[in-house]
């Protein structure tokens, strides 16, 4: 965030205050997107009022398991994210890239219109915020920025939220994050429910965030509110612990290519690609032509070039000269895990994993990325101590 | 997010937008390989360095990476393409007057500046001669007497660019041809390029190698036997490139995004990765 701003922080009523925030952002011209409960999961979709956001919703997460529960707590942010991430909006699963028409002796290209309004993302967790930053590094690489991504990402207003109730599968603290977003937001909300009452503490992280909070005309926070913000974050951090040394993984996994453990995982992995589809940073994609049925009688006259999400678990992902380079599930799992946790660092100067745990939760076989990475690291350590250094 | 707001208002260059080129000449090289000559319909692409590739788009079919086999001072690019899948078959099937869309040039180039004044061996297998042709042309123009070219093909009719092979020889380069299977009219060497390198036992200081992956790995090792340091050997690797700019993730080999960090890479940077099956 650039620019200086006064430390603006206000106390919002969990119902009325949140509703006012949603309506103010919409009135300011943003397309307001936030969590909604639909089909038994938390999705991110358009919200018109504060009441569209979940109330009294908690989530149980385990490898291969995600269950929504309702209670009468009235809490607004006690849920954890579902399969969907904000990637859906900045990098849609399927998007038109170009529309190309045959002309006399050549072809003419038209580009899709940019979004009419900038997005406002509501309830962005630290892991989600870091995932957006990872995607930015890939898609806005200065030598070849993706103009469609840049247009969708431009001006995004971020309402972050402190993660008070991390799930059992969350491991952001191992991957350089934590329950409390530290930077990169316009407004940060922390939900507190203690003997001082149930309220949302909203703190500005940017000048425009401060302007929004000032216009909400809410009560300024007191020391109890700010103490509650700290204690919510501390309790959540302590509940998680650190499961792996994420920063060391690129080094620890560098010589794991020949490990027998890939085959051990492959015995369980279905190669379905769910992990890549729910990952908030996976960016692999494919480009394809979609031709319309319109024709000038002799040839197709218009084609749409589309970009759609792809997965390294698809056999044709590594197709080369009519065969797949990564022919086995073990090959493909190795590509996925080593890319996410190791080689991404060298490619883009950042880790590819934010520790959100989605890949573990939405894996139909319940394969836990942390356990598998830990097993590989332990195996490397055993080999090294046995003197089997690979050169 | 002020910096991102700026990006959104930037005049957006669309790296995925193809530039129309018209086919002006189509030459059948072998039974399934054709060289197309293409001229820009309007403004053309930036100039191509030897070893770089273009993304070639056939209307309504798809897009494939093709190394440039020659450029002409008048702006034409020559692409030598083998019909394998739907898109390459459509590209090979174009006739004079047809229009294709080109993007690029992408990727790394053969390090010709580093080869200046050194004994260079160029090893090509099959269609692998196409991405090397511009580099050989440049070296022949500079210092043909310090150049050896070893070209292998399955059979004599699959040998590409007969005119160029003769011209390089006439200019003073040592050109060695070999085929896997000899027909009645073939009186030259039989066997792999690796076998030729081992038999000739010439001494070299630098090597460019391009062909099928197994041919490149055995070829690079044979070149080491000719006295070339692994860090002076360069190979051109291919993967399933879709975007050309490191965004689609399909061309990964370990930490390399070959569309961006390749196709031309240093042998000692990839040797270990190529030894891993299915990497």
């Amino acid at each position: 965030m650039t620019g200086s701003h006064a430390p603006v922080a206000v106390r919002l009523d969990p119902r009325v205050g949140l509703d006012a925030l949603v309506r103010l952002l919409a009135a300011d011209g943003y397309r307001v997107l936030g969590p909604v409960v639909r089909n038994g999961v938390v999705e991110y979709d358009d919200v018109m009022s504060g009441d569209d956001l979940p109330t009294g919703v908690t989530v149980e997460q385990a490898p291969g398991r995600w269950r929504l529960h309702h209670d009468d707590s009235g809490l607004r942010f006690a849920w954890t994210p579902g399969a969907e991430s904000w990637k859906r909006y900045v990098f849609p699963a399927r998007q038109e890239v170009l529309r190309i028409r045959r002309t006399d002796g050549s072809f003419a290209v038209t580009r899709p219109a940019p979004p009419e309004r900038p997005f406002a993302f509501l309830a962005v967790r630290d892991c989600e915020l870091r995932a957006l930053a990872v995607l930015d590094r890939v898609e806005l690489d200065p030598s070849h920025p993706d103009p469609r991504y840049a247009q969708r990402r431009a001006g995004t207003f971020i309402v972050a939220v402190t993660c008070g109730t991390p799930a059992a599968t969350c491991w952001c603290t191992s991957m350089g994050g934590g329950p409390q977003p530290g930077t990169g937001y316009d407004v940060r909300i922390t939900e507190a429910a203690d003997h001082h009452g149930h309220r949302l503490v909203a703190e500005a992280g940017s000048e425009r965030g401060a302007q929004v909070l000032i216009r909400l005309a809410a009560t300024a926070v007191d020391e109890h509110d700010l103490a509650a913000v700290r204690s919510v974050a501390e309790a959540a951090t302590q509940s998680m612990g650190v499961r792996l040394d994420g920063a060391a993984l690129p080094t620890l996994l560098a010589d794991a290519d020949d490990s027998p453990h890939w085959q051990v995982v492959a015995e369980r992995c279905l190669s379905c690609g769910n992990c890549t589809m729910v990952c908030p940073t996976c960016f692999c994609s494919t480009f394809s032509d979609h031709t319309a049925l319109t024709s000038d009688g002799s040839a197709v006259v218009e084609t749409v070039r589309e970009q759609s999400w792809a997965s390294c678990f698809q056999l044709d992902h590594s197709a080369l000269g009519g065969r797949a380079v990564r022919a086995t599930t073990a090959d493909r799992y190795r590509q996925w895990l080593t890319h996410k946790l190791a080689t991404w660092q060298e490619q883009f100067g950042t880790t590819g994993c934010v520790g959100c745990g989605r890949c573990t939760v939405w894996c139909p076989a319940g394969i836990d990325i942390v356990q598998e990475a830990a097993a590989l690291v332990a195996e490397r350590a055993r080999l090294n101590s046995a003197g089997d250094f690979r050169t | 997010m002020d910096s991102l707001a700026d990006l959104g208002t930037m005049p957006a260059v669309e790296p995925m937008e193809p530039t129309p080129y018209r086919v002006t000449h189509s030459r059948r090289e072998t039974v399934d390989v054709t060289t197309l000559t293409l001229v820009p319909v309007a403004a053309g692409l930036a100039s191509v360095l030897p070893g770089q590739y273009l993304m070639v788009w056939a209307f309504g079919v798809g897009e494939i990476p093709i190394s440039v086999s020659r450029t002409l001072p008048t702006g034409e690019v020559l692409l030598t393409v083998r019909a394998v899948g739907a898109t390459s078959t459509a590209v090979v099937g174009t006739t004079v007057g047809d229009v294709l869309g080109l993007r690029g040039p992408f990727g790394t180039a053969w390090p010709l500046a580093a080869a200046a004044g050194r004994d260079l061996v160029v090893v090509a297998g099959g269609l692998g001669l196409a991405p090397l042709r511009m580099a050989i042309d440049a070296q022949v123009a500079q210092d043909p007497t310090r150049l050896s070219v070893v070209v292998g093909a399955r059979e004599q009719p699959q040998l590409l660019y007969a005119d160029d092979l003769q011209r390089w020889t006439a200019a003073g380069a040592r050109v060695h041809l070999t085929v896997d299977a000899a027909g009645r009219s073939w009186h030259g060497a039989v066997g792999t390029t690796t076998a030729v390198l081992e038999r000739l036992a010439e001494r070299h200081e630098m090597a460019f190698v391009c062909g099928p992956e197994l041919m490149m790995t055995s070829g690079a090792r044979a070149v080491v036997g000719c006295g070339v340091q692994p860090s002076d050997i360069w190979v051109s690797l291919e993967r399933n490139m879709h975007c050309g700019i490191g965004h689609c993730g399909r061309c990964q080999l370990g930490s390399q995004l070959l569309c961006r960090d390749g196709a031309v890479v240093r042998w000692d940077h990839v040797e270990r990765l190529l030894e891993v099956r299915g990497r």
Side-chain angles (χ1 to χ4, degrees):
Chain A
M1 293 296 105
T2 54
S4 61
H5 54 85
V8 177
V10 299
R11 187 191 306 150
L12 298 177
D13 175 81
R15 181 152 183 273
V16 179
L18 192 58
D19 186 56
L21 177 61
V22 170
R23 291 176 191 279
L24 182 59
L25 289 171
D28 280 355
Y30 291 102
R31 181 179 169 195
V32 185
L33 296 155
V36 297
V37 171
R38 181 174 302 148
N39 303 322
V41 290
V42 176
E43 296 181 351
Y44 296 138
D45 208 342
D46 290 275
V47 290
M48 302 299 161
S49 78
D51 289 343
D52 289 343
L53 275 69
T55 304
V57 168
T58 59
V59 174
E60 174 198 349
Q61 289 185 199
R65 185 175 175 82
W66 195 99
R67 292 291 184 279
L68 191 92
H69 299 296
H70 293 273
D71 61 32
D72 57 4
S73 66
L75 292 173
R76 306 307 304 272
F77 298 105
W79 50 273
T80 41
E84 255 183 12
S85 67
W86 299 104
K87 185 173 82 173
R88 170 181 169 184
Y89 292 100
V90 294
F91 181 54
R94 196 171 167 186
Q95 58 174 301
E96 183 174 321
V97 177
L98 299 166
R99 190 169 285 266
I100 310 180
R101 275 189 88 78
R102 277 191 209 276
T103 59
D104 189 24
S106 186
F107 55 79
V109 179
T110 50
R111 300 180 191 174
E116 288 174 11
R117 292 173 289 163
F119 297 128
F121 292 160
L122 280 184
V124 182
R125 314 257 159 181
D126 179 68
C127 57
E128 306 273 66
L129 208 46
R130 286 182 297 118
L132 285 169
V134 171
L135 273 184
D136 288 349
R137 287 291 273 273
V138 176
E139 304 296 337
L140 300 178
D141 143 46
S143 58
H144 296 288
D146 178 335
R148 286 155 281 115
Y149 181 92
Q151 284 167 345
R152 283 187 295 262
R153 188 76 174 82
T156 315
F157 192 100
I158 302 277
V159 179
V161 68
T162 302
C163 204
T165 50
T169 47
C170 292
W171 62 301
C172 61
T173 43
S174 302
M175 295 308 296
Q180 184 160 58
T183 181
Y185 55 83
D186 295 295
V187 169
R188 181 179 71 192
I189 290 176
T190 305
E191 181 166 40
D194 53 24
H195 60 277
H196 294 287
H198 178 201
R199 71 274 193 212
L200 305 178
V201 181
E203 301 164 280
S206 70
E207 179 56 36
R208 63 177 182 165
Q211 290 306 319
V212 163
L213 292 186
I214 288 165
R215 285 158 62 215
L216 281 175
T219 320
V221 292
D222 61 22
E223 71 272 25
H224 300 300
D225 297 325
L226 295 176
V229 169
R230 285 192 297 274
S231 75
V232 166
E234 278 164 19
T237 306
Q238 279 176 16
S239 75
M240 294 177 74
V242 175
R243 299 177 66 190
L244 268 183
D245 182 1
L249 287 174
T251 310
L252 294 172
L253 296 175
D255 65 347
D257 281 349
D258 297 325
S259 169
H261 192 71
W262 303 118
Q263 188 53 43
V264 175
V265 184
E267 303 290 332
R268 287 171 288 143
C269 175
L270 306 173
S271 214
C272 70
N274 264 19
C275 48
T276 58
M277 293 293 107
V278 298
C279 178
T281 67
C282 269
F283 62 85
C284 280
S285 59
T286 189
F287 294 86
S288 51
D289 272 64
H290 297 262
T291 48
L293 289 172
T294 50
S295 147
D296 66 358
S298 61
V300 170
V301 294
E302 183 174 271
T303 182
V304 176
R305 294 279 292 154
E306 275 192 2
Q307 183 178 14
S308 46
W309 291 356
S311 169
C312 52
F313 284 94
Q314 292 167 313
L315 197 54
D316 78 340
H317 192 264
S318 63
L320 186 64
R323 67 174 191 94
V325 173
R326 296 183 204 105
T328 70
T329 297
D331 296 340
R332 299 197 282 278
Y333 188 84
R334 175 179 58 202
Q335 167 61 24
W336 179 72
L337 186 135
T338 56
H339 186 218
K340 199 99 295 197
L341 298 180
T343 54
W344 200 301
Q345 186 74 40
E346 205 173 318
Q347 290 170 357
F348 299 104
T350 171
T351 176
C353 176
V354 295
C356 72
R358 282 187 178 90
C359 53
T360 300
V361 171
W362 298 93
C363 173
I367 297 171
D368 183 339
I369 187 175
V370 188
Q371 274 186 17
E372 304 310 336
L376 285 156
V377 169
E379 178 196 74
R380 296 293 98 189
R382 273 199 310 279
L383 287 172
N384 284 344
S385 66
D388 179 19
F389 291 99
R390 280 154 207 256
T391 51
Chain B
M1 302 245 135
D2 299 341
S3 57
L4 288 166
D6 292 345
L7 257 174
T9 54
M10 262 171 44
V13 176
E14 175 52 83
M16 297 308 297
E17 181 166 332
T19 298
Y21 271 67
R22 183 172 294 117
V23 178
T24 59
H25 189 71
S26 172
R27 173 195 161 110
R28 175 71 73 91
E29 302 277 0
T30 75
V31 65
D32 57 354
V33 175
T34 293
T35 296
L36 300 176
T37 304
L38 296 130
V39 66
V41 171
L45 299 170
S47 60
V48 180
L49 298 170
Q52 287 192 303
Y53 67 95
L54 301 175
M55 293 303 300
V56 181
W57 173 73
F59 190 100
V61 184
E63 198 178 43
I64 47 169
I66 301 289
S67 291
V68 177
S69 70
R70 180 164 284 160
T71 58
L72 302 181
T74 40
E76 287 95 336
V77 294
L78 275 67
L79 303 173
T80 303
V81 189
R82 169 173 284 141
V84 179
T87 306
S88 56
T89 301
V91 169
V92 164
T94 53
T95 54
V96 171
D98 286 349
V99 172
L100 293 169
L102 304 185
R103 294 191 297 120
F106 296 122
T108 52
W110 300 109
L112 282 165
R118 304 172 83 184
D119 289 317
L120 174 70
V121 60
V122 174
V123 190
L127 199 52
L129 186 57
L132 284 164
R133 184 160 68 159
M134 287 172 78
I136 299 171
D137 279 344
Q139 197 68 5
V140 164
Q142 286 293 317
D143 195 357
T145 59
R146 302 190 73 175
L147 173 67
S148 287
V149 181
V150 179
V151 179
R154 272 174 296 171
E155 295 173 284
Q156 185 183 5
Q158 262 89 44
L159 277 168
L160 297 176
Y161 312 142
D163 299 349
D164 293 310
L165 298 172
Q166 280 182 9
R167 191 167 53 79
W168 296 333
T169 308
R174 295 175 297 280
V175 178
H176 310 285
L177 308 180
T178 184
V179 298
D180 293 342
R184 282 173 179 273
S185 60
W186 181 253
H187 303 291
V190 177
T192 61
T193 50
T194 305
V196 171
L197 288 165
E198 286 167 351
R199 179 164 49 78
L200 290 171
E202 295 176 345
R203 304 304 289 175
H204 302 287
E205 295 169 314
M206 198 167 186
F208 300 164
V209 186
C210 186
E213 208 157 290
L214 271 177
M215 169 260 160
M216 285 193 281
T217 52
S218 66
R221 284 177 186 135
V223 165
V224 171
C226 298
V228 185
Q229 294 297 315
S231 57
D232 284 324
I233 301 172
W234 298 76
V235 297
S236 178
L237 297 180
E238 189 184 3
R239 284 294 182 272
N240 190 3
M241 296 145 176
H242 277 213
C243 72
I245 54 175
H247 282 201
C248 80
R250 304 184 77 109
C251 63
Q252 294 181 60
L253 177 65
S255 61
Q256 315 225 16
L257 289 157
L258 284 175
C259 77
R260 177 189 85 176
D261 307 328
V264 178
V265 290
R266 241 171 68 176
W267 166 244
D268 57 334
H269 289 169
V270 294
E271 180 180 9
R272 195 186 63 82
L273 288 164
L274 292 178
E275 280 173 355
V276 180
R277 182 193 289 264
R279 190 68 180 88

